[in-house]
Amino acid sequence: MAAVLQDSLQVELFDAPLGAEVIGLDLNRPLSQRDFQRIHKAHLDHHLLVFRGQRISPQQQVDFSRRFGPLQIHVLRNFQLPSHPEVLIISNIIEDGKPVGLGDAGHFWHSDLSYKEAPSLGSMLHAQELPAEGGDTLFANMHLAHDTLPAALRNAVQGLRAEHSYLAQYEELRRRSPFRPALTQAQIDEVRPVLHPVVRTHPETGRKALFVSEHFTTRIVGLAEAESRALLAELFAHSVKPEHVYRHRWQPHDMVFWDNRSLMHLAAGTPDHLRRKLYRTTIEGDVPF
Ligand code: SIN
């Protein structure tokens, strides 16, 4: 289905529970306010937008990202692009024994920076180097996940709050891969656990979404540990049912822009011997309610 935005811009919906491709936009050219508004609306409507073949610089990615809000700096400063601290390098490449980027960034399902008081509005991921096989990214529609919960469970989770912690899986990831340095006390202080509603309301569309993830959510406030663990496991399993998920198969120079208030994502994995590198910018959002 193609919805014509203007003479040249088109939004083509994916045959999936989320996502659309924006055709006819070249991010090398200045973005008019009118096009910006159309992209903004398409982003709210479809939660994930793909802009194919964008041969743009990190500065252009930063400039485009900033149109949507202030950018967030990741706590792992060692994976910043030196010239652009707002750009987080996601990569499985090891050079001279040192990781080039955060290779295990999407190992568990998550919404970016949900462990912050003000988590991310959305993220942009720009493909730099892609493997010949693997390397896909999966996205789950958390509005659908909420709306399709059995009614009794949907009612039961309204008003609950959950703790999110950057450290929840950190040691587990450290054990598995070379990408996680030991954190300094200053870094630990920067990512103190926070509480967020289990069901959040999208600040721009008013739609409800589940807002818990296997990566960062540690417990549901006020429930006994076993009950909290069981409920979270049920919510995680429901969230990522195939009918809620879109699989992005990367093409060269893809720029993908998703809504962290509506979606969770997961890196499906890349064979170790194949190189993968992407640049991520993360836009700050509101305090969830
Ligand atoms: C991320 O979680 O931001 C990275 C996702 C990916 O590498 O596909």
Side-chain angles (χ1 to χ4, degrees):
M1 201 192 323
V4 177
L5 286 184
Q6 64 158 39
D7 302 350
S8 55
L9 270 196
Q10 287 199 337
V11 174
E12 199 141 321
L13 274 58
F14 295 150
D15 182 15
L18 63 110
E21 182 178 343
V22 176
I23 299 165
L25 185 78
D26 178 356
L27 290 171
N28 277 297
R29 298 207 309 259
L31 183 67
S32 69
Q33 188 57 18
R34 192 177 150 91
D35 280 353
F36 167 75
Q37 282 165 355
R38 287 169 164 165
I39 291 166
H40 181 207
K41 180 172 184 324
H43 189 248
L44 294 177
D45 289 346
H46 310 300
H47 319 304
L48 173 144
L49 300 177
V50 178
F51 310 94
R52 301 271 188 206
Q54 299 295 328
R55 292 171 181 272
I56 56 166
S57 66
Q59 186 61 50
Q60 286 171 310
Q61 177 173 352
V62 165
D63 290 345
F64 181 50
S65 304
R66 281 215 178 106
R67 295 291 292 260
F68 297 87
L71 302 189
Q72 292 170 297
I73 308 269
H74 198 274
V75 63
L76 294 182
R77 308 278 195 270
N78 48 322
F79 297 131
Q80 291 172 347
L81 193 63
S83 58
H84 292 83
E86 308 88 346
V87 173
L88 175 71
I89 306 170
I90 308 271
S91 180
N92 67 345
I93 301 169
I94 313 266
E95 256 160 24
D96 302 326
K98 274 182 63 185
V100 163
L102 188 57
D104 59 2
H107 186 82
F108 295 106
W109 283 99
H110 67 286
S111 168
D112 285 333
L113 276 57
S114 77
Y115 52 83
K116 303 283 276 188
E117 202 70 49
S120 164
L121 173 158
S123 302
M124 295 201 191
L125 204 48
H126 187 223
Q128 306 292 318
E129 239 186 292
L130 295 173
E133 59 178 275
D136 298 347
T137 310
L138 275 56
F139 295 88
N141 184 330
M142 300 302 276
H143 295 301
L144 269 183
H146 170 268
D147 296 350
T148 58
L149 279 176
L153 182 55
R154 196 170 60 238
N155 290 333
V157 295
Q158 306 295 324
L160 292 179
R161 293 193 307 156
E163 182 183 76
H164 294 238
S165 170
Y166 180 68
L167 302 182
Q169 305 279 4
Y170 200 84
E171 288 308 315
E172 173 64 20
L173 289 168
R174 240 165 97 74
R175 262 194 300 279
R176 293 178 189 214
S177 70
F179 301 105
R180 307 263 164 178
L183 295 173
T184 64
Q185 190 56 46
Q187 284 173 309
I188 292 170
D189 291 344
E190 195 179 315
V191 291
R192 293 234 170 268
V194 293
L195 300 181
H196 291 310
V198 169
V199 177
R200 72 179 293 184
T201 305
H202 194 291
E204 296 185 81
T205 65
R207 285 190 69 185
K208 288 185 172 181
L210 275 185
F211 194 61
V212 287
S213 75
E214 61 172 355
H215 193 158
F216 298 128
T217 311
T218 48
R219 65 187 175 94
I220 296 189
V221 178
L223 297 191
E225 196 190 326
E227 200 187 343
S228 164
R229 214 174 319 114
L231 179 54
L232 285 174
E234 189 175 0
L235 295 176
F236 298 157
H238 175 79
S239 299
V240 301
K241 282 183 176 166
E243 59 268 33
H244 303 153
V245 172
Y246 159 70
R247 174 181 281 262
H248 186 68
R249 296 181 171 83
W250 291 89
Q251 293 181 23
H253 311 290
D254 270 359
M255 168 78 106
V256 175
F257 175 29
W258 69 87
D259 191 331
N260 280 307
R261 303 162 300 184
S262 302
L263 307 180
M264 281 200 302
H265 60 283
L266 174 84
T270 305
D272 285 343
H273 66 286
L274 297 176
R275 292 165 64 97
R276 181 178 190 263
K277 184 164 80 169
L278 304 101
Y279 287 167
R280 193 180 92 189
T281 40
T282 314
I283 302 150
E284 187 172 60
D286 301 301
V287 176
F289 58 90

